Amino acid sequence: MSDLFGNTGEVRPATVARVLLPVAIGMAYSYRVPPGVSVRPGSIVRVPLGPREVVGAVWSLEPEGGSAAGNLAPSRLKNILHVYDDAPPLDEDLRTLVDWVANWTLAAPGMVLRMVLRSEEALESEPPLAGVRLSSSGTRPERMTPARQRVLEVLQDGTGFTRSGLAHAAGVSSSVVEGLLAHGVLESVELPAVPPLPRPDPDWSPPQLTPAQARASKELVAAVGQGFRTFLIDGVTGSGKTEVYFEAVAEALRQGRQALVLIPEIALTSAFLQRFERRFAVLPAEWHSEIATRQRARVWRGVASGDVRVVVGARSALFLPFRELGLVVVDEEHDGAYKQDDRVPYNARDMAVVRGHISRFPVVLASATPSVESRVNADQGRYVRLELPERATGAPMPEISIIDMRQDGPERGQWLAPTLRHAIGETLSGGGQALLFLNRRGYAPLTLCRSCGHRFQCPNCSTWLVEHRFRGRLSCHHCGHEEPSPDHCPACGDTQSLVACGPGVERIAEEAADLFPQSRVLVLSSDLQGGPDRLRREMRIIEEGGADIVVGTQLVAKGHNFPLMRLVGVVDADLGLANGDPRAAERTFQLLAQVTGRAGRIGGGGRGLLQTYAPEHPVIRALASGDSTAFYEAEIAARKAAGLPPFGRLAALIVSAPDRARAQDYARQVARLSPASPGLTVLGPAEAALALVRGRYRFRLLAMAPRNVDLQALMRSWIARLPKPTGGVRLQVDIDPQSFF
DNA sequence: AGCACGCCGACT
DNA sequence: GTCGGCGTGCTC
């Protein structure tokens, strides 16, 4: 027996269904299936839960009379209230994915289901719109007027319009339409709420590929429809990775399959959608947190029904109920935005591979600076590596050189070395743009009183307050605390004694403006007022040459192409190398490779200058030489020796409590228990392992296990043996925690 | 996750 | 005398 959606399943009337609910409960709950109602595994239902009603999904059916241990007596079961028949049941693959992700992340399966059921509005079809068309009786108006004439012309081919749409299209007022309707010239008609979606055309505008691109795309195209396989496109910035995987998307479309392209922080990258449109004639469906409710429901429904063929989305798009998904692409696969930190901690890049494995389709990871783990997977033959060693435009890669700040540093109170200043001057006089990159918002990271040594500190965190001179405020980048910039020291009362220490982008912009007074300087950072629209405008200004010097944080490393950008000066290449994060070097390398890759991307002739106090550091050497092999090999060896991912696995137990001392105390107790767990290494209770992260009173206790140990099972048994947290202490487990991996 | 219940401090 | 803070427990 097969239904509308192609699912074959028993339609034997079950009396009890196990329903997974979108709440943090470890198991599915049993509900009675009322007589005359039919459900199957995957059916989306509304059920009572305590005082409220929730939407869940049938996870399994229980045969009559059968009951698993711990279930309530059938007489006490509540009824399923409603079955959403407009939405197709979640298919078996998707249910397998939900269970898999829940097990992997140690999250409640219901919380993973919640990510699937992200649009309650999608579960019921939109009611049709009231519209009008020419009356089928052929009635003509008794008195013809020019306005009426125009309305009739617009309706000539028999299409239906909404009343306001018709008035607008004909250029008349709505009373003209009302009149014609009253006279029987027009008749009411139901219009579909969602106009039929044009489908992307795989053969609309195939690009001219370079030989390297053609080789890579050929391999991808051949793999589409041939089962599960993971590819890693490893191509330098500007090598045209997008064109390559677009060919795989095209092939999936030709084969009647859907495709999903994940990109980090999609809300900011309308340029990407336009590229898609140029290749496939229509815009793809978009999915991310900023999409409006109605549109979100349409995409969800379209994905489930098969009307939507391609989705471009943020990490959460991975949990959409695709009907016939045949390809997932993860662009910029190394990007941290693929990791979710709260609720269900998962990495969408890895779960994409899992989804491909479950549903037997290829997965494509792409990056100019692959993550260490993807690189290892490619080295070991688990992923197929496709290399694009040259820029698609033929432009040479930028020439990167080092400025040794110990010898060639600027004077005190300045931050741009003479060599960099000189390069900026040359670039500007040559008509190019210069980008000064510093990954630090604000004017100065620390304000100090010269008289008494007072430092402005956050009242909540133990961090310095960052001065934002444009806004006239001191701000904590940790918790968001803000206060007005002071004019005197609160400790000693001195008025002329406050000094800003160290640079932020605002301060670099000030210095650049002083050095090049005739140039237009633009600052780009996430505290730009005006939201994404403003950001897009500023990006446009840069693209069109409306700025000479851009000073930016990591915001400028991503997405946008700046055709006039010739020089990238990294103000502090060592920033980010010093913190305790074992991924610090990798992340710094990725960020600086991306940002220097902005130089000369179109016309060539790009230069990159790295200001550093550590010219011998492997990251700096890799960037300057353009050869990252040695750097990656060193990273891989270090990870291997430490048993860190990808050779081992990592978990964090997060302890939060109403005060720091109690969190710390409990973390110590936990750490003391660890030797009892074979195969698990706990870092701690040394202060170093009790890393304080985000917000007050939270500690992370890191645990590491070899790759072959079942970390999930180990953590579960470990947690079961922990002393019961009391006094407001709370625990949360996080596998592959964001702040470290 | 959400929601109710319950127990303590500061106000109309 | 109540309002409301969060700590605790429960939901088929």
Side-chain angles (χ1 to χ4, degrees), chain A residues 249 252-253 257-261 309-311 322 325-328:
Chain A
V249 170
L253 292 173
R257 307 286 294 267
Q258 294 165 296
L260 168 64
V261 180
R309 306 312 296 171
V310 181
V311 174
F322 287 93
L325 189 57
L327 176 73
V328 176

Side-chain angles (χ1 to χ4, degrees), chain A residues 341-345 652-656 698-701 715 719 730-734:
Chain A
D341 217 7
D342 53 352
R343 297 184 178 90
V344 181
L653 194 71
I654 299 165
V655 182
S656 58
R698 298 187 81 196
F699 290 86
R700 279 186 186 201
L701 200 67
M715 289 305 287
I719 292 160
R730 278 160 190 273
L731 296 179
Q732 184 195 326
V733 184
D734 187 350

Side-chain angles (χ1 to χ4, degrees), chain A residues 243-402:
Chain A
E243 285 83 8
V244 171
Y245 66 66
F246 272 0
E247 292 316 295
V249 170
E251 181 59 18
L253 292 173
R254 284 187 208 107
Q255 294 184 18
R257 307 286 294 267
Q258 294 165 296
L260 168 64
V261 180
L262 296 180
I263 60 181
E265 286 155 49
I266 181 184
L268 296 174
T269 56
S270 58
F272 185 88
L273 303 176
Q274 285 154 18
R275 270 175 96 175
F276 186 93
E277 188 182 23
R278 281 200 295 277
R279 172 63 183 83
F280 294 103
V282 300
L283 287 167
E286 243 180 286
W287 182 270
H288 51 82
S289 59
E290 320 262 285
I291 294 290
T293 316
R294 173 73 67 88
Q295 187 57 22
R296 168 185 302 267
R298 286 180 181 172
V299 173
W300 198 96
R301 225 180 290 122
V303 160
S305 70
D307 288 341
V308 167
R309 306 312 296 171
V310 181
V311 174
V312 173
R315 58 169 186 253
S316 58
L318 188 68
F319 292 95
L320 283 168
F322 287 93
R323 183 182 136 106
E324 45 208 353
L325 189 57
L327 176 73
V328 176
V329 176
V330 184
D331 200 1
E332 307 292 354
E333 65 88 22
H334 64 278
D335 198 296
Y338 288 119
K339 291 171 176 174
Q340 173 159 302
D341 217 7
D342 53 352
R343 297 184 178 90
V344 181
Y346 70 98
N347 187 329
R349 178 244 287 150
D350 299 335
M351 297 310 114
V353 175
V354 170
R355 189 159 189 181
H357 184 76
I358 290 170
S359 298
R360 296 175 300 280
F361 59 71
V363 176
V364 178
L365 313 181
S367 176
T369 52
S371 59
V372 169
E373 54 275 30
S374 292
R375 200 171 160 116
V376 167
N377 280 324
D379 288 347
Q380 295 180 345
R382 290 156 61 96
Y383 297 173
V384 179
R385 173 183 278 125
L386 303 172
E387 277 173 304
L388 302 173
E390 275 153 25
R391 282 178 163 174
T393 53
M397 293 302 287
E399 199 179 291
I400 312 284
S401 39
I402 291 171

Side-chain angles (χ1 to χ4, degrees), chain A residues 210-264:
Chain A
T210 65
Q213 283 178 310
R215 270 195 301 280
S217 77
K218 197 176 159 203
E219 235 186 289
L220 290 182
V221 166
V224 174
Q226 299 300 310
F228 169 69
R229 210 154 164 211
T230 306
F231 294 85
L232 174 63
I233 307 180
D234 181 355
V236 298
T237 50
S239 62
K241 296 180 283 294
T242 313
E243 285 83 8
V244 171
Y245 66 66
F246 272 0
E247 292 316 295
V249 170
E251 181 59 18
L253 292 173
R254 284 187 208 107
Q255 294 184 18
R257 307 286 294 267
Q258 294 165 296
L260 168 64
V261 180
L262 296 180
I263 60 181

Side-chain angles (χ1 to χ4, degrees), chain A residues 22 172 456 494 505 646:
Chain A
V172 302
F456 287 81
D494 211 334
V505 277

Side-chain angles (χ1 to χ4, degrees), chain A residues 416-452:
Chain A
L416 305 176
T419 310
L420 179 54
R421 288 189 212 164
H422 184 71
I424 297 169
E426 263 181 9
T427 303
L428 297 185
S429 55
Q433 285 172 329
L435 172 64
L436 300 177
F437 175 77
L438 176 63
N439 205 11
R440 194 188 274 140
R441 288 149 53 207
Y443 185 83
L446 168 66
T447 308
L448 186 76
C449 172
R450 251 180 302 144
S451 301
C452 72

Side-chain angles (χ1 to χ4, degrees), chain A residues 163-192:
Chain A
R163 292 181 200 195
S164 59
L166 177 58
H168 187 77
V172 302
S173 80
S174 61
S175 58
V176 178
V177 175
E178 300 297 335
L180 288 170
L181 188 63
H183 285 95
V185 180
L186 307 182
E187 64 182 7
S188 296
V189 67
E190 286 192 344
L191 300 175

